[in-house]
Amino acid sequence: MSAPAQPDWVAHRAGVMPGKVALIEGARDVTYADLNGWADAVAATLFERGVTAGDRVALLAPNSLEFAAAVHGVSRAGAVLVPLNARLTADDQAWQVSHAGAKVVLFHGDAEERARAVAKLAGIGAVALTPHPSPPGWRGEQEACDPDPDVRPSPLQDHGEGPGVRAHSATDVHSIIYTSGTTGRPKGAMLTYGNFFASASASAFNIGVAADDRWLACMPLFHVGGLSILLRSAIYGTAAVIQPGFDEAAVNRSVREDGITLLSVVPTMLKRMLDTDDLPFPPGMRAVLVGGGPVTKDLLEQALARGLPVLQTYGLTESCSQVSTLTPADAAARVGSAGKPLVTTQLRIDAPPREPGEILVAGPTVTPGYHDDPEATARAIRDGWLHTGDIGRLDDEGFLYVLDRRDDLVITGGENVYPAEVEGHLLQHPCIEAAAVVGVRDARWGQMVTAAVVTRPGFDAAEVETWLRDRLAHYKVPRRFVEMAALPATASGKVQRHKVREMVEG
């Protein structure tokens, strides 16, 4: 039996609620009817550039209405979205574009220079998208290296379901999102239409859906958490409110003035929201989902006292965002827990009862695998269970407590930093003999990327930091360097990062 078809979510909403606001960014808003037409225009532009069903399309753009419209337009064209992390280097982005086999790079706004550079490195074209929020506000523009596409009829004709509308199988890949690995190149997690629909359904069963919901998207839309807000809102027929990035004052103002009912942040963002002023938050806020680390009892109590109903959650890219989330009824009594698995998800710990072990996940939200990487897929998904690499435990009532994130993973300001990648660059510097990278507790960022180094004559921390900024995304560059005579290691010579962390935290 074939998988059930997924309708074009935006087209459906445009048909039943055309005047309902779908997206808001500052003073601009877009109805579902507008968004539907905009998606048609994007799809037509892509088709004119030679993109056909199943092709991959990379997207490099800031958080914006244009980003959201591109997401739906790529889907309307039957293509697969490859959102690029704007904080990576051009070389890293170009590698992802090439590995995914993207046909073009879509870009908007101040991403133009970088997008053109990435497209040139990958040997494909770049397509510029104008910022106007209604069709035909998009126009394509190609690089000289882009091959001339064949002229052919628009894909928006003769579908039989209305302009540009096509149904998707639940197993069709919607997007490929690259995740960092502990070693080597990142892996492209394939997320299907069925994955996103199951995730949206599970979230709805947990916290409900209200007709007037407005979900504030202040996290990067190229991350699975941000992208999920856009797709979840379209599935529900509610509104997503887009901000260019996280600014605590702007987020607080939006929550109080824009009718925000739902918000997704990491613990450090929540703390900054509470620290920036002492005003209460409106009673209309239904839930603040907090992932990426534990919420302390003090932080939770402060948030609840100010009117922010915090729900700790646990998820990862490979599970299409949420795996487990506290319910509003359990939030105060289960401080530190990420709740129970959502209704579509199975979860178990690879350890004896009540003992810590690796978190394993199964269900319809789990990726079918990594793009063009069968070996990594086989390692991660065994007997139907996704091996997350994260360590957790379940209490007697089945509540999940996440103890560590992929062992040595550093989470700084909500961004994942894998030590091996940073260490690999450090060891290329002529004044560094050995290096170990760890995360040190930090009040502002959650963790501070810290490098313990064995140095050679001429070492200068400021010079090394500048040198690294040309090679790594800025959030991966160590903010602190600690010189050591030697690094603690096992008998086989493997550096013991947990001992390094103890020494630098001292």
Side-chain angles (χ1 to χ4, degrees), residues 46-71:
L46 291 173
F47 193 79
E48 290 167 2
R49 299 302 179 265
V51 173
T52 58
D55 285 343
R56 274 75 65 196
V57 174
L59 173 61
L60 185 60
N63 281 17
S64 57
L65 296 181
E66 286 74 18
F67 189 110
V71 169

Side-chain angles (χ1 to χ4, degrees), residues 464-483:
V464 172
E465 181 176 347
T466 300
W467 183 83
L468 284 173
R469 287 186 179 277
D470 291 332
R471 293 161 173 80
L472 289 169
H474 72 89
Y475 64 87
K476 298 180 181 180
V477 176
R479 295 174 178 269
R480 179 186 173 201
F481 289 83
V482 178
E483 293 187 59

